[in-house]
Amino acid sequence: MTSNENQQPATTSITAGRDGTNSLAPTLSTSSTWSSSGLEESNRQANALHQTGNYSRYANPTVEAFEHAIAELENTQAALAFASGMGAVSSVVLALCSTGDHIVAQRNCYAGTYAFLVGPCARLGIDVTFVDGRNAQEFAAAVRPGKTMLVMAESPSNPHIDLVDLTELGKIKGPFTLVDSTLATPLAQRPHDHGVSIVLHSATKGIAGHNDATLGVIAADLDLISDIWTYSVLHGATASPFDAMNGLRGIRTLDVRLARQSDSAQQLAEWLLTQKNVTGVHYPGLKSHPQHELAVKQMNYFGSVLSFEIAGGKPAASKLLSALKLVRPAVTLGGPETLISHSASSTHNSVDIETKTKTGLTDSLLRLSIGLEACVDIKNDLASALALTN
Ligand SMILES: *Cc1c(COP(=O)(O)O)cnc(C)c1O
């Protein structure tokens, strides 16, 4: 979809997803339906795939503008938006998998994805093998030829910030491969360029970027998007035009936000490493991150999210959360405000103990989503609060 091959992604985030009018801001199209000239046109619309001008569950001009922008940024032929990141996850899985099929999935993933795979998928007889995403060979080794429909990865992973080797994943042939690229956003990495079939985002996070939209999106080849679209109109997790408008608005400033957030995250990660009551820091920009070299190879930014381990476990984490004044305890990421969460008891509360242990989801782990405040103020707030947890 890229209009100009030489154009930088930061520029594409400004030029992409224009609706053909001369309006500079996204046009909000609230109509749930459009009239037709008569029976012939109605019949043509009934046979059309993913086209606006008929009924909003099938397609909507504002949502379509957002989808076009994502397809251009991800360098894919097409994209499809959903009511949330989980709307995207569940629609893709159910569009592509049936009873008796098999999925290979990364164990260390977003808790909603994990819950969907161990809950509804198991109930429907879709078999899931979980692997450690840090070792790309494990994905390929778990594939059962003829049975595995989907290989699902997440990079960087939420909340332990592990990476998946996108090139190794892209080499897997047979099943469709999917990368949840939420923590990277389309500007930090492009999984489809590595041969990955489907790129998925919770656009609720960095893409919309202002904590004012609940939105999901996938980007892939047109044929695959059309197949998933055919199922998705029945599933009904349709993106709201208002949220798609905020998603598109967010894309316009994504590069400057991500640059600022990544810069602050790097400084804070390095500073946290030197704090005596911090026992570990997970951020791909750190030389001490076990996958730092891979991060340099496949990422343009290291992202807005880091996690760290606090000495003293859950009681110390609890003290820290209460002592912070600027940094707020909350469970999303990628927005303007710096947020902190104790993953094991909040976002990942539902994950079973065995999986928590295997994926490093300890009681000491705190996830920080770095916002747009001056870095020094975030640091001062963390320093004051950390001093109280000694
Ligand atoms: C938040 C999140 C999701 C789910 O997205 P929603 O928009 O909350 O449904 C999926 N994957 C990752 C990595 C996330 O952080």
Side-chain angles (χ1 to χ4, degrees):
M1 290 273 316
T2 309
S3 43
N4 176 352
E5 289 292 327
N6 297 319
Q7 183 168 295
Q8 295 296 309
T11 309
T12 302
S13 71
I14 306 301
T15 57
R18 299 293 172 176
D19 60 7
T21 72
N22 57 2
S23 167
L24 288 180
T27 308
L28 178 60
S29 179
T30 56
S31 195
S32 62
T33 193
W34 289 266
S35 62
S36 78
S37 60
L39 188 147
E40 277 73 27
E41 194 187 357
S42 298
N43 183 248
R44 203 162 34 74
Q45 287 172 340
N47 285 308
L49 287 175
H50 199 197
Q51 270 172 28
T52 60
N54 182 13
Y55 188 63
S56 204
R57 178 157 47 79
Y58 304 149
N60 170 284
T62 311
V63 175
E64 189 178 46
F66 170 71
E67 291 167 340
H68 284 170
I70 293 293
E72 244 192 86
L73 288 168
E74 290 291 358
N75 197 24
T76 61
Q77 291 170 342
L80 179 61
F82 297 88
S84 64
M86 282 312 300
V89 169
S90 56
S91 300
V92 169
V93 170
L94 296 178
L96 300 179
C97 303
S98 309
T99 301
D101 286 343
H102 177 241
I103 294 174
V104 178
Q106 182 173 336
R107 187 179 293 111
N108 182 9
C109 65
Y110 179 69
T113 305
Y114 184 77
F116 186 75
L117 293 173
V118 296
C121 282
R123 178 162 55 77
L124 295 171
I126 300 168
D127 196 13
V128 183
T129 302
F130 289 100
V131 299
D132 184 337
R134 289 169 293 192
N135 181 0
Q137 312 307 328
E138 287 197 20
F139 288 107
V143 169
R144 300 179 195 156
K147 280 271 179 208
T148 308
M149 290 302 293
L150 191 57
V151 176
M152 298 175 71
E154 183 175 306
S155 188
S157 70
N158 182 358
H160 201 263
I161 325 292
D162 298 322
L163 306 188
V164 173
D165 188 322
L166 299 177
T167 304
E168 287 301 316
L169 193 76
K171 284 182 190 159
I172 296 175
K173 297 293 175 253
F176 295 110
T177 48
L178 178 149
V179 170
D180 182 334
S181 197
T182 299
L183 267 65
T185 84
L187 291 180
Q189 68 190 15
R190 289 215 300 218
H192 190 74
D193 288 353
H194 298 262
V196 171
S197 334
I198 305 167
V199 186
L200 183 147
H201 293 278
S202 166
T204 310
K205 314 291 168 56
I207 292 177
H210 294 71
N211 298 327
D212 58 5
T214 303
L215 187 64
V217 68
I218 59 168
D221 288 348
L222 182 59
D223 284 353
L224 185 50
I225 290 290
S226 298
D227 283 351
I228 296 170
W229 176 85
T230 304
Y231 172 77
S232 77
V233 296
L234 307 177
H235 193 91
T238 312
S240 122
F242 188 79
D243 289 333
M245 178 187 75
N246 280 333
L248 196 46
R249 186 273 318 268
I251 286 172
R252 301 289 180 241
T253 57
L254 181 54
D255 189 68
V256 281
R257 287 187 288 111
L258 191 60
R260 166 67 163 268
Q261 288 167 324
S262 298
D263 190 52
S264 296
Q266 181 76 31
Q267 288 183 48
L268 292 164
E270 286 170 11
W271 172 77
L272 280 166
L273 269 183
T274 68
Q275 300 306 297
K276 66 176 187 315
N277 42 355
V278 170
T279 56
V281 184
H282 312 286
Y283 188 65
L286 289 177
K287 293 212 167 59
S288 60
H289 190 283
Q291 295 170 295
H292 177 65
E293 267 176 47
L294 177 64
V296 170
K297 216 164 64 181
Q298 68 186 28
M299 300 181 82
N300 303 315
Y301 291 108
F302 298 125
S304 61
V305 189
L306 63 89
S307 57
F308 67 97
E309 327 252 347
I310 189 164
K314 198 170 175 179
S318 172
K319 258 197 220 165
L320 183 80
L321 261 59
S322 309
L324 287 162
K325 295 198 164 67
L326 177 67
V327 177
R328 299 156 197 247
V331 294
T332 194
L333 57 94
E337 302 86 9
T338 298
L339 304 178
I340 190 163
S341 59
H342 183 256
S343 306
S345 63
S346 59
T347 53
H348 289 64
N349 187 48
S350 64
V351 175
D352 55 276
I353 290 291
E354 192 193 331
T355 300
K356 276 183 176 163
T357 308
K358 278 189 180 159
T359 57
L361 264 168
T362 66
D363 270 344
S364 327
L365 191 74
L366 289 159
R367 187 188 74 192
L368 264 181
S369 168
I370 308 304
L372 297 169
E373 305 91 343
C375 185
V376 64
D377 291 323
I378 306 170
K379 182 157 87 177
N380 288 342
D381 192 35
L382 286 167
S384 312
L386 276 170
L388 298 173
T389 67
N390 270 324

